[in-house]
Amino acid sequence: MEEIILYDPLDMHLHLREGEILKDIIDFTASSFSAAVVMPNLSVPITSTDLALQYKKEILMNAKNKDFIPLMTIYLNDFLDENELKIAYDNGIKILKLYPKGATTNSQNGLDEILTPHTLKLFEIAQDLGFILSIHGESKGFSLDREYEFGKVFVSIAEKFPKLKIIIEHMSDHRSIELLETYENIYATLTLHHITMTLDDVLGSGLKPHHFCKPILKTPKDKEMLLKLALQAHPKVSFGSDSAPHLEKNKLNNNAAAGIFSSPFILCALSGLFEKYDKLENLQDFISNNAKNIYGLDNLPKKAIKLHKEKSWIPTQIKSNQNNIVPLNAGEVLDWNQVL
Ligand code: NCD
Ligand code: ZN
């Protein structure tokens, strides 16, 4: 029996939601990952330490796997003050998340203008304290150019704050790769969908709302170049699923919610992908070691996840809140299966 063991898998970008949805999805991640960076874009955004600690409690209460560690984040907004940042850091919250206003789900409390005196001051304090700045980097321009156009903001922050680690979240455009290579303090997370799918999967044959996410899936060249980064486990990238569940009714209505739900099958799919390209030896770095280095995660409890070369099935749907959540590639068969 062929077997893979992955040590301390880490998902560095995850949406767990709250309430019923949280209950229904948390163990997909908690049963496979040691820890995950939990995004703060709830309907009431996580803008303070109190809210983050309360949310952390709700996550832990609902996870059956009690060894799972949620790494909490703070939502950067116009009202965040310096003192709150210090309190957050003292309480173990080390990631500051920046959403441009209106860029994605629940980003209405994000920043309309990014480089204001207020945010520059916060970046300076974040740098001094040792925060990591995770950015949803998209402009308000044409969809396929939004990440590229935002590049100048990354450059500006990276140059002004050379000791601040900045993460290009869910990198989707091959033109962003240059930033990783030019600036010592710029890193990236990569999703499964941006390294395996393109815009044609969204609209190439019928409109597929379950494939709609921000940043939008891009060209074959983007996909290929990002896949290459992942397969070589480039030391400046770590895995971040950006698994973002929405109720089916909210994906199918007029305002189709952006977000791809992938947490039920990530490790099985990544194993198949790395095997296909004969790069299984790099999966451990991509799924854990790189993130440990970049985010300074030394003291996580140990977890070993075993996968066997045998068929597994992606669930067709998860029942939640009297509706469904439909995973990416629902119902498909995978070549690897997680065994306990
Ligand atoms: C995310 C969500 O639904 O919260 N959606 C998405 O399309 N990725 C938010 C985000 O990370 O952009
Ligand atoms: Zn996200």
Side-chain angles (χ1 to χ4, degrees):
M1 170 62 70
E2 279 182 77
E3 184 176 278
I4 297 172
I5 300 178
L6 295 171
Y7 297 95
D8 313 336
L10 299 171
D11 184 343
M12 303 312 286
H13 182 134
L14 177 68
H15 299 272
L16 284 176
R17 311 304 189 204
E18 57 204 306
E20 285 303 309
I21 296 186
L22 167 66
K23 283 196 187 111
D24 294 329
I25 61 150
I26 172 65
D27 277 302
F28 290 120
T29 299
S31 63
S32 298
F33 288 82
S34 278
V37 173
V38 182
M39 290 297 134
N41 63 331
L42 303 189
S43 44
V44 175
I46 304 299
T47 51
S48 68
T49 306
D50 280 352
L51 288 171
L53 295 180
Q54 206 177 303
Y55 185 31
K56 184 175 184 180
K57 211 184 269 174
E58 188 190 353
I59 295 166
L60 291 173
M61 209 170 68
N62 285 294
K64 286 196 205 74
N65 289 74
K66 295 297 175 198
D67 56 353
F68 172 70
I69 299 188
L71 301 166
M72 306 311 289
T73 57
I74 291 273
Y75 193 126
L76 178 52
N77 65 91
D78 290 329
F79 306 100
L80 187 63
D81 67 42
E82 303 168 19
N83 200 33
E84 190 60 44
L85 261 191
K86 289 185 189 128
I87 296 171
Y89 199 83
D90 289 343
N91 281 278
I93 303 162
K94 309 216 155 116
I95 300 172
L96 188 56
K97 178 71 196 252
L98 189 165
Y99 293 99
K101 199 190 200 77
T104 188
T105 307
N106 291 340
S107 61
Q108 55 276 16
N109 295 86
L111 302 179
D112 205 13
E113 229 191 295
I114 314 283
L115 301 173
T116 62
H118 170 69
T119 50
L120 292 175
K121 185 75 202 153
L122 288 180
F123 293 156
E124 191 184 326
I125 291 161
Q127 170 176 258
D128 292 347
L129 289 168
F131 264 92
I132 287 184
L133 177 63
S134 289
I135 303 185
H136 182 119
E138 289 199 281
S139 73
K140 294 184 170 66
F142 176 61
S143 294
L144 293 177
D145 289 327
R146 284 179 189 173
E147 185 177 299
Y148 176 65
E149 288 175 359
F150 197 90
K152 52 182 183 293
V153 182
F154 280 112
V155 167
S156 175
I157 303 173
E159 284 178 346
K160 283 192 180 70
F161 306 98
K163 296 249 141 49
L164 178 63
K165 285 188 172 174
I166 304 161
I167 317 281
I168 303 178
E169 294 284 72
H170 36 55
M171 189 189 268
S172 66
D173 189 316
H174 77 274
R175 294 172 290 181
S176 305
I177 296 173
E178 201 189 330
L179 297 175
L180 293 184
E181 277 151 9
T182 313
Y183 295 91
E184 207 181 313
N185 55 335
I186 295 187
Y187 302 81
T189 56
L190 290 175
T191 73
L192 175 65
H193 41 278
H194 289 102
I195 63 175
T196 55
M197 296 162 74
T198 70
L199 187 57
D200 263 5
D201 292 296
V202 190
L203 46 69
S205 64
L207 198 55
K208 304 267 182 0
H210 294 301
H211 295 174
F212 173 58
C213 67
K214 300 289 184 71
I216 192 90
L217 296 169
K218 299 208 166 53
T219 69
K221 181 170 180 179
D222 293 312
K223 178 195 80 172
E224 273 150 34
M225 291 187 67
L226 296 170
L227 174 61
K228 213 167 127 201
L229 277 189
L231 291 173
Q232 76 192 55
H234 189 294
K236 294 191 98 181
V237 305
S238 42
F239 175 72
S241 69
D242 196 13
S243 177
H246 289 279
L247 295 179
E248 189 173 27
K249 62 179 184 197
N250 296 330
K251 290 290 283 176
L252 301 184
N253 73 14
N254 273 341
N255 272 323
I260 287 180
F261 177 45
S262 55
S263 70
F265 61 94
I266 299 259
L267 296 182
C268 298
L270 282 176
S271 299
L273 182 67
F274 277 62
E275 182 189 36
K276 179 176 163 195
Y277 290 94
D278 208 11
K279 287 282 185 260
L280 268 178
E281 73 273 16
N282 291 342
L283 183 52
Q284 178 61 40
D285 283 345
F286 181 59
I287 202 67
S288 179
N289 302 354
N290 286 0
K292 282 185 184 173
N293 291 335
I294 297 167
Y295 294 74
L297 300 169
D298 313 315
N299 297 321
L300 293 174
K302 300 269 161 269
K303 196 166 189 167
I305 300 292
K306 208 181 272 183
L307 297 112
H308 280 175
K309 185 85 183 270
E310 62 190 22
K311 302 252 169 278
S312 68
W313 281 264
I314 300 176
T316 49
Q317 60 194 28
I318 314 299
K319 297 236 173 287
S320 187
N321 264 352
Q322 298 161 350
N323 197 235
N324 296 320
I325 305 171
V326 181
L328 176 63
N329 300 334
E332 275 188 18
V333 183
L334 299 170
D335 290 337
W336 290 89
N337 189 27
Q338 184 178 329
V339 288
L340 294 177

